[in-house]
Amino acid sequence: MKVEDKRDFTVVNHSVEKVDALALACGTARFTDDVDIRGLLTGRLLYSPHAHARIRRIDTAKARKVPGVLAVLTHEDLPRVRHTTAGQGYPEPSPYDTLALSEKARYVGDRVAAVAAETPEAAQEALDNIRVDYEVLPAVFDTMEAIKAGAPVIHDEADSKNIPDAKHNICAKFDFEVKQSEWFSEADVVVDRWYKTQWAQHCALEPHIVIVSFDEDGRLLIRTSTQVPFHARRITARVLRLPLKSIRVIKPRIGGGFGSKQEVLLEPVCAALALAARRPVKIELSRRETFVSSRTRHPFVIRLKTGARKDGTITDAHMEAYCDNGAYGAHSLTVMMCSGSHTLPMYQAKNTRFVGRSVYTNRPVGGAYRGFGATQGFFAWESQMDIMAGQLGLDPIEFRRKNYIRSGEGSPVFKAMGEGREGIEQKIGSCGMDECIAKGLAAIRWHEKKKLYKNQSGVKRRGLGCACMMQGSGIPEVDMAAASIKMNEDGSFNLHMGATDLGTGSDTVLAQIAAEVLGVGIKDVIVLSSDTDLTPFDVGAYASSTTFISGNAVKKAALKVREQILAVAARILDEKPEDIELAGGRAVGKSGRSCALSEVGNTSFYYHDQHQIMASASHVATSSPPPFAAHFAEVEVDTETGEVRVLDYAATVDCGTAINPALAEGQNDGAVLNGISYALTEEMLFSPAGAMLNPSFRGYKIFSAADAPPFKTILVPTYEADGPFGAKSVSEIGINGPQPAIANAIYDAVGVRLYEPPFTPEKVLGATLSETSESSLQTAVGRLPATEAAE
Amino acid sequence: MKVEDKRDFTVVNHSVEKVDALALACGTARFTDDVDIRGLLTGRLLYSPHAHARIRRIDTAKARKVPGVLAVLTHEDLPRVRHTTAGQGYPEPSPYDTLALSEKARYVGDRVAAVAAETPEAAQEALDNIRVDYEVLPAVFDTMEAIKAGAPVIHDEADSKNIPDAKHNICAKFDFEVKQSEWFSEADVVVDRWYKTQWAQHCALEPHIVIVSFDEDGRLLIRTSTQVPFHARRITARVLRLPLKSIRVIKPRIGGGFGSKQEVLLEPVCAALALAARRPVKIELSRRETFVSSRTRHPFVIRLKTGARKDGTITDAHMEAYCDNGAYGAHSLTVMMCSGSHTLPMYQAKNTRFVGRSVYTNRPVGGAYRGFGATQGFFAWESQMDIMAGQLGLDPIEFRRKNYIRSGEGSPVFKAMGEGREGIEQKIGSCGMDECIAKGLAAIRWHEKKKLYKNQSGVKRRGLGCACMMQGSGIPEVDMAAASIKMNEDGSFNLHMGATDLGTGSDTVLAQIAAEVLGVGIKDVIVLSSDTDLTPFDVGAYASSTTFISGNAVKKAALKVREQILAVAARILDEKPEDIELAGGRAVGKSGRSCALSEVGNTSFYYHDQHQIMASASHVATSSPPPFAAHFAEVEVDTETGEVRVLDYAATVDCGTAINPALAEGQNDGAVLNGISYALTEEMLFSPAGAMLNPSFRGYKIFSAADAPPFKTILVPTYEADGPFGAKSVSEIGINGPQPAIANAIYDAVGVRLYEPPFTPEKVLGATLSETSESSLQTAVGRLPATEAAE
């Protein structure tokens, strides 16, 4: 078997220690802030207290006079720059960015000025002395209100004509239909429901932070906690109108991102301050600032109207998705699209329709967040699946089994929703859904408990719920990664990648792939990722792409290096290159003769035909093989308090070959806990004037380790032909399950259907006590003027 | 014409601004010391006050108790490690290194202990409190005395049997003979002379300095002023018995090296201190320490016995070279060999013999120094040429013209002295000697002045002297360099090289080569050199190799990148790749259609067939094309004081294509001024006990800009087929001329032949007043027991 197809692994599929484990455990790991820079100034931002207000004038004269203040900037110094698709690729352009400073305040937290000063105190004093003359405007906070005629127009910029429908605050549209029969003509049962997800935030423990200094040649040195160093370089250059070559972006260790660091939030303004002050500047957001003025998960209002035959065949799937972008349109199109493109293909239906709208409101700005629309979509879909099964009188598990997509199948949705690019004729390669369900059912003892909980009475009632889901592995024909490997004379290797480890363990996973090809241990691979001057390009860490796309790039580069090693070893061993294997740090010939890789390294550096063994390679995917997962939740609902407790949770996941099982489990564990927290407690709350009411971990509750219910991740191995050594993605999918699985379990326990997470005691109790079996959401949103597609 | 052969240059052969010019001029350039490291300790060394002494015991107890002292090391902690040739390549192994701490003191300045402390004061106090119990031994300071029977044996280590002749302090031997007739049988004139060169030092303005810290993973981070970062990594690993992969060497800006930083002088001991103290440590030598305990130029005693026919044909060349290594044998073999291998081929003789001995004495350690033996050899050779011309009654210029090697000619010496490796069948490619002589004669107005000075009388007399010389361009089939280039989406490039710019301008020269191939300006090439983790391997900056060898590697890498660019541009322009040229930052098709390289970059990153345009390449030379030079000196000798003043100096040089003429001139100017200083003033003086008497710039006089006589460099362009865009080396050759040219000019002025530089007033006056026309050196050394080859 060729090394690239091997399945008998030495390093891959083993839970080797993270390459940065020791550093993280010992506290020596260097994050953005772990650097000493002489003369470093503090940068600070001034935020709008109004949700919608015209800025008549900003007076900075007094602020500039504060001792120790070296720079004060407003939108006049650093105006917003329109995104443009030309030459930018991903992350997707949105009509209006908010990467600079705003000329009109569009939400409470919009950035109106920036200062740099010798001390934090002087910076604060400068902020306190900036006088902004605001003309307060009417604001709109509700997604569905914002698209109504007569709603305040949030984007009235001169070039707002480029917005699909600025007058109705519609930032992006995407519709499609695949129709093979009359709509609902074959359905025995039709279910039509509205779902609404909440404002939530990533809560990476390391806040947004950037340090801009100058290198010896005067180039900007941007040390930043980012998922997208190469995009940070490109976008900073564009916002500041500087040549790209005058910027170097360095990504140190990152303390979590989850999508929040996929945007170039602070780099341009920090660089502008450094250039104005001619001194290095650091901006680090507090937790409050992060909540108020960074990025959120997009709340969605989703309508699902679905039909099925009595035998359980799904016939029709109509989905309307209203995605709330907040005040600016970051990731507006793609997040909205993913709510359909990752969910609709899950089950095959004759007729499928998607109507997507991304909507501006005077709220904080939505951005990329683990799950990226699929999470919101699956809450609706997998809730609806249980409702339909109930109406059909079918077992929800069997109903799903009957309909979900299988290996070898395509979906018209893949093509129609190829994310606005050329349609992707994708067919499912690996699919471990059958085993995911079987293992999950067994792990949670589904059937046994179902029987046990059949006729419950009493205050506390238990229930079981499940949810199936899929995600992608990067964006085909869009996401590109490159890697470069050089050999040292001791048989160790430097692996340089644009890929960005934001705490996911991708440095380790990618080093394992290289080590597997090169027949060495993980300690023989010295990883550098990522630095725009030093490492090859990579679109960045998002869309569950790193293992799949960067991993393929690393594998290709390693294969090229391997070939060079074999050529040298062939001479040393007097064998043909094709007869040599690399294993255990040695080149082993067919004859049994072998030599250490250090001999190969030494020979190539110092003896014969001297050369540096080295290669680079790029990879762009032609498919985005979905990982699959089935989640099973067991809950206990206190019918007196409305409290929901998760008693057990089994999260199976098919991520192909787990390159590092422990890390894959860790990724899934994290996603599941994140999802449980998102289902039960997390929600950004706002005052009627649009100010966030709970911008701290005291008010915004994320599940910590202490809060974690018993839960387990079960890896279901498959082998994905397109992935490096069979791997698919794993990082996002796990967050899609808890909301619907828990909602279904609550329904199972107490017969109450919840459409609006988080499932707080108030909501559960309210719904339990309500006289109707449906929430007010159904009637409230149902009264809205139907969109053109909503019949 | 293919781009690799182009001669119509846009960037190459232009005096573009140095890539680091602004940083150097503004003081922002970051040298080793320009870094802030938290908790940095001061490292200091304890030196032997004795020239030869057994160390009975070192008591460090008191030193360890000094407050703030964190580490005290002796040879017991850091013993010397024998060099071994296995897997090391160059710099050449010598039997005994002195890179660790010595167990026996072999010269005044030998390193016996090292300390690291919180402050310089504490470090000094620790040194003061180390008690060394020495048993003083008889010492030998004279090169020729050291090889006599009964001389003190300097190396009596257990494995001294590996030294060719430890008993006679002979560290390395190299003999060869090419004989085509009976020795001296065809000679009409035979001249037999001894020459003796002095102890001298490099005097780089930045002293030796190294800072060792730890990276986040606990690897050693060695920031060092080195010419050989990859060797520094390898040798430090070996001395400390650490895996090579646990070390990263970073080379910042370097403030001059001239060969002194070709040795791994401080890295191992500083790393050992850092490991012992578990803290970062810096060692920076003072000027005094640099003089006393770093490296020197090897002093030589050379015997030349040469024969020629009346018509000026040289028939016989017998050279004996005794190279004084001082106490350890760094570069002992190769420096000795180069005194013959770079000089003997200069003129063709039927019979050629070289007898080389490298000798240990109880003096400071010789090392690599600009000219590397050739300087000492050429002093003898070019003095001898004038003596022979005088005895033959021939014009010294015409005598040289008759004999020097020409384009297309080989030399048996090349093969015989292929530096111990497989013989190099080298033939001279480019040779601009004719033009060098013609231009030099004209520049100094040789013939006009010769007439003018014919019958001088008076106290101050003027004279003219010339010298011809050659050097190599790296070491063929030994020196290897590699480079890697990646393209950015704006059409700029990152050039990563192992090559080491030690102030020579090689970063600029190599960037020009890349820019020429890629059709961009120098500002579009962002250079990184060198960092063992980040840049490909390079043997280092020595042997005049960088432009020739690293330049070829850069050119190859750029050609590969160019090919990748053309493939993308071909699609954009709808042309064939071979019909596209790169110029002015654009890809220009045959049709006249063109696109910016930024479009190529953007397309390859974001649009079609996404990939990182990137390539690496290595180069190992198969030849070492010599640059040629002719120097012409005009001096005035004060017959009352003995003072020699250089009135004018013309230094022509054929370095092939000067990649950057201003920098090539600068290199040659520097070498010539260095050589003039070496001829007239520079000398390390020692007490009878072997202690250096003048270890400061007050006592050891180097020529500063203010001392510089009028002199000019004249570049003589040729085109060397093996070089990148026709280039050969330029950095060393210029230092070979001033000693013989000035010696010859002094003879021309006052009829006194000087065999022992520097030509101080004392020596000149002494020789002028002496009754014999020959110095006492001839009789003194002549009385020595002849070596086996000396007739």
Side-chain angles (χ1 to χ4, degrees), chain A residues 484-495 518 520 524 561-562 564-566 568 582 585 596-605 611-615, chain B residues 230 233 244 532 535-537:
Chain A
S484 172
I485 300 176
K486 79 179 179 78
M487 187 178 188
N488 298 308
E489 70 258 50
D490 64 343
S492 69
F493 299 87
N494 291 103
L495 168 59
L518 297 166
V520 296
D524 292 313
V561 166
R562 184 176 182 274
Q564 296 174 30
I565 292 171
L566 295 186
V568 175
L582 301 184
L597 288 193
S598 57
E599 193 178 340
V600 173
N602 265 318
T603 301
S604 78
F605 273 21
H611 63 286
Q612 168 72 64
I613 291 177
M614 179 171 185
Chain B
F230 285 87
R233 176 176 68 166
L244 182 127
T532 58
T535 60
F537 180 79

Side-chain angles (χ1 to χ4, degrees), chain A residues 19 23 28-30 36 38 85-89 214 216-217 219 231 233-234 244-245 253 477-478 480 482 484 486 488-490 492 494 496 523-524 526 528 532-537 602 604-607 610-612 614 616 618 620, chain B residues 19 23 28-30 36 38 85-89 214 216-217 219 231 233-234 244-245 253 477-478 480 482 484 486 488-490 492 494 496 523-524 526 528 532-537 602 604-607 610-612 614 616 618 620:
Chain A
V19 294
T28 58
R30 289 183 191 157
D36 293 321
R38 228 179 271 188
T85 50
Q88 286 187 44
F214 300 92
E216 54 189 329
D217 300 315
R219 296 169 70 224
H231 292 317
R233 177 175 69 166
R234 173 176 55 77
L244 182 127
K245 66 188 172 192
R253 286 290 101 194
E477 284 168 34
V478 171
M480 186 270 277
S484 172
K486 79 179 179 78
N488 298 308
E489 70 258 50
D490 64 343
S492 69
N494 291 103
H496 296 172
K523 302 271 184 202
D524 292 313
I526 303 159
L528 175 71
T532 57
D533 261 19
L534 305 177
T535 60
F537 179 80
N602 265 318
S604 78
F605 273 21
Y606 295 114
Y607 292 104
Q610 291 103 306
H611 63 286
Q612 168 72 64
M614 179 171 185
S616 57
S618 303
V620 58
Chain B
V19 293
T28 58
R30 289 184 191 158
D36 293 321
R38 227 180 273 188
T85 50
Q88 288 187 45
F214 301 92
E216 53 188 328
D217 301 315
R219 296 168 71 222
H231 293 317
R233 176 176 68 166
R234 174 176 53 77
L244 182 127
K245 66 189 170 191
R253 287 289 101 194
E477 285 169 32
V478 171
M480 185 269 276
S484 172
K486 79 179 178 79
N488 298 309
E489 70 257 51
D490 64 342
S492 69
N494 292 102
H496 296 172
K523 303 270 184 203
D524 292 313
I526 303 159
L528 174 71
T532 58
D533 260 18
L534 305 177
T535 60
F537 180 79
N602 265 318
S604 78
F605 273 21
Y606 295 113
Y607 293 105
Q610 291 103 304
H611 63 287
Q612 167 73 63
M614 179 170 186
S616 57
S618 303
V620 57

Side-chain angles (χ1 to χ4, degrees), chain A residues 53-55 75 80 101-106 111 157 328:
Chain A
R54 198 164 306 283
I55 297 170
H75 65 90
R80 289 192 304 124
L101 297 172
S102 298
E103 79 298 342
K104 171 175 129 172
R106 293 179 180 85
R111 308 188 309 192
E157 293 94 327
Y328 298 90

Side-chain angles (χ1 to χ4, degrees), chain A residues 195-208:
Chain A
Y195 302 85
K196 189 176 180 183
T197 65
Q198 77 270 39
W199 293 90
Q201 211 179 46
H202 317 71
C203 302
L205 287 191
E206 181 200 39
H208 294 272

Side-chain angles (χ1 to χ4, degrees), chain B residues 395-414:
Chain B
D395 177 80
I397 306 290
E398 294 312 317
F399 180 51
R400 285 177 172 84
R401 272 190 180 137
K402 188 170 178 71
N403 290 285
Y404 58 64
I405 196 166
R406 281 167 167 79
S407 182
E409 292 181 355
S411 164
V413 182
F414 288 143

Side-chain angles (χ1 to χ4, degrees), chain A residues 298-601:
Chain A
H298 294 79
F300 271 69
V301 176
I302 293 173
R303 179 192 180 190
L304 272 185
K305 184 174 177 187
T306 52
R309 283 206 297 263
K310 277 181 194 158
D311 69 353
T313 308
I314 297 175
T315 53
D316 308 86
H318 165 97
M319 183 173 188
E320 285 169 53
Y322 302 87
C323 167
D324 194 327
N325 297 301
Y328 298 90
H331 300 274
S332 50
L333 176 66
T334 45
V335 166
M336 175 263 285
M337 285 175 66
C338 282
S339 70
S341 66
H342 284 343
T343 54
L344 291 170
M346 186 76 210
Y347 304 104
Q348 301 282 25
K350 246 183 162 173
N351 300 323
T352 305
R353 181 157 52 196
F354 179 78
V355 177
R357 297 291 176 272
S358 286
V359 180
Y360 289 126
T361 61
N362 290 115
R363 284 275 165 96
V365 184
Y369 184 174
R370 191 181 219 167
F372 203 81
T375 312
Q376 297 95 319
F378 272 117
F379 167 59
W381 252 110
E382 288 297 299
S383 296
Q384 186 97 344
M385 285 299 285
D386 262 34
I387 298 172
M388 286 171 71
Q391 297 207 5
L392 289 162
L394 295 172
D395 177 81
I397 306 289
E398 294 312 316
F399 179 51
R400 285 177 172 85
R401 273 191 179 135
K402 187 169 180 71
N403 289 285
Y404 59 63
I405 196 166
R406 281 167 167 81
S407 181
E409 293 180 355
S411 165
V413 183
F414 288 144
K415 184 157 188 192
M417 300 193 70
E419 300 193 323
R421 301 242 168 177
E422 300 156 40
I424 307 297
E425 281 282 13
Q426 185 168 335
K427 280 206 164 55
I428 298 299
S430 57
C431 177
M433 190 55 101
D434 288 342
E435 200 180 339
C436 282
I437 288 185
K439 289 207 166 158
L441 288 173
I444 206 144
R445 296 185 290 137
W446 179 272
H447 296 295
E448 176 189 335
K449 286 181 183 166
K450 270 280 187 191
K451 270 183 213 152
L452 207 62
Y453 302 157
K454 210 156 193 181
N455 297 304
Q456 290 177 88
S457 58
V459 172
K460 293 187 178 180
R461 302 200 195 149
R462 296 183 173 189
L464 292 160
C466 90
C468 292
M469 66 221 75
M470 58 192 282
Q471 192 84 22
S473 297
I475 309 171
E477 284 168 34
V478 171
D479 288 343
M480 186 270 277
S484 172
I485 300 176
K486 79 179 179 78
M487 187 178 188
N488 298 308
E489 70 258 50
D490 64 343
S492 69
F493 299 87
N494 291 103
L495 168 59
H496 296 172
M497 312 175 290
T500 295
D501 188 338
L502 53 143
T504 56
S506 68
D507 279 358
T508 305
V509 161
L510 298 173
Q512 284 179 268
I513 291 170
E516 186 69 47
V517 174
L518 297 166
V520 296
I522 188 86
K523 302 271 184 202
D524 292 313
V525 181
I526 303 159
V527 177
L528 175 71
S529 75
S530 45
D531 181 317
T532 57
D533 261 19
L534 305 177
T535 60
F537 179 80
D538 189 297
V539 285
Y542 59 80
S544 295
S545 61
T546 304
T547 298
F548 184 68
I549 293 177
S550 307
N552 268 319
V554 168
K555 191 179 164 200
K556 282 183 187 175
L559 284 167
K560 288 184 187 179
V561 166
R562 184 176 182 274
E563 202 177 310
Q564 296 174 30
I565 292 171
L566 295 186
V568 175
R571 179 154 50 189
I572 296 173
L573 300 176
D574 194 20
E575 300 244 20
K576 286 184 197 151
E578 57 270 29
D579 291 338
I580 300 174
E581 288 300 322
L582 301 184
R586 301 186 70 81
V588 185
K590 212 177 181 177
S591 65
R593 279 192 300 276
S594 74
C595 64
L597 288 193
S598 57
E599 193 178 340
V600 173

